[in-house]
Amino acid sequence: MKSKYKNVYFNTSPSRSKNKKKWIAAIMINGQHYRQGFNDEKEAAKYVDLCCIKAGIPQRNDTYKTL
Protein backbone atom coordinates (compact mmCIF):
# COMPACT_ATOMS: atom_id res chain seq x y z
CA MET A 1 0.00 0.00 0.00
CA LYS A 2 1.38 3.40 -0.95
CA SER A 3 1.43 6.26 1.52
CA LYS A 4 0.57 9.85 0.71
CA TYR A 5 3.63 10.83 2.77
CA LYS A 6 7.26 10.79 1.66
CA ASN A 7 9.54 8.11 3.14
CA VAL A 8 6.55 6.16 4.54
CA TYR A 9 5.26 2.81 3.32
CA PHE A 10 3.06 -0.05 4.55
CA ASN A 11 4.94 -3.26 5.27
CA THR A 12 3.06 -6.31 3.98
CA SER A 13 6.14 -8.51 3.86
CA PRO A 14 5.47 -12.14 4.81
CA SER A 15 8.72 -12.22 6.78
CA ARG A 16 8.93 -12.65 10.53
CA SER A 17 9.60 -8.95 10.93
CA LYS A 18 8.23 -7.31 14.07
CA ASN A 19 7.03 -4.48 11.82
CA LYS A 20 4.79 -6.74 9.72
CA LYS A 21 1.53 -5.03 8.77
CA LYS A 22 2.65 -1.64 10.07
CA TRP A 23 3.44 1.72 8.55
CA ILE A 24 7.20 2.10 8.22
CA ALA A 25 9.05 5.40 8.37
CA ALA A 26 12.44 5.00 6.69
CA ILE A 27 14.92 7.73 5.83
CA MET A 28 18.67 8.09 5.45
CA ILE A 29 20.24 11.37 6.55
CA ASN A 30 23.97 12.01 6.28
CA GLY A 31 24.64 8.29 5.91
CA GLN A 32 22.60 7.41 9.02
CA HIS A 33 19.55 5.15 8.59
CA TYR A 34 16.39 5.84 10.57
CA ARG A 35 13.60 3.24 10.45
CA GLN A 36 10.65 2.75 12.77
CA GLY A 37 7.30 0.94 12.62
CA PHE A 38 3.99 2.62 13.50
CA ASN A 39 0.32 1.63 13.60
CA ASP A 40 -0.69 5.03 12.20
CA GLU A 41 0.44 6.46 8.85
CA LYS A 42 0.57 10.07 10.07
CA GLU A 43 2.67 9.12 13.11
CA ALA A 44 5.19 7.56 10.73
CA ALA A 45 5.28 10.79 8.71
CA LYS A 46 5.84 12.79 11.91
CA TYR A 47 8.80 10.55 12.78
CA VAL A 48 10.36 11.25 9.37
CA ASP A 49 9.93 15.00 9.89
CA LEU A 50 11.30 14.83 13.43
CA CYS A 51 14.44 13.12 12.12
CA CYS A 52 14.78 15.90 9.53
CA ILE A 53 14.34 18.63 12.15
CA LYS A 54 16.96 17.07 14.42
CA ALA A 55 19.38 16.88 11.48
CA GLY A 56 18.71 20.51 10.55
CA ILE A 57 17.29 19.77 7.08
CA PRO A 58 13.86 20.63 5.61
CA GLN A 59 10.93 18.42 6.57
CA ARG A 60 9.72 15.92 3.99
CA ASN A 61 6.03 16.03 4.96
CA ASP A 62 5.56 19.34 6.81
CA THR A 63 3.79 17.73 9.78
CA TYR A 64 5.43 20.13 12.27
CA LYS A 65 4.90 23.85 12.08
CA THR A 66 8.10 25.88 12.01
CA LEU A 67 8.61 29.42 13.20
Side-chain angles (χ1 to χ4, degrees):
M1 182 182 307
K2 186 165 171 65
S3 173
K4 61 184 176 182
Y5 298 106
K6 294 178 183 173
N7 297 94
V8 175
Y9 67 94
F10 193 74
N11 186 9
T12 57
S13 173
S15 70
R16 297 181 196 185
S17 170
K18 65 181 178 179
N19 290 323
K20 183 179 177 186
K21 295 197 176 182
K22 287 192 176 188
W23 289 100
I24 306 298
I27 188 169
M28 183 167 51
I29 301 171
N30 298 327
Q32 178 74 33
H33 292 275
Y34 299 91
R35 188 173 191 268
Q36 183 76 34
F38 296 89
N39 290 322
D40 182 66
E41 180 183 20
K42 188 163 186 176
E43 290 301 314
K46 285 182 177 182
Y47 176 79
V48 169
D49 284 344
L50 187 61
C51 290
C52 292
I53 290 168
K54 286 183 177 181
I57 63 173
Q59 297 179 51
R60 299 286 197 264
N61 301 302
D62 292 323
T63 58
Y64 288 99
K65 292 188 178 197
T66 56
L67 299 176

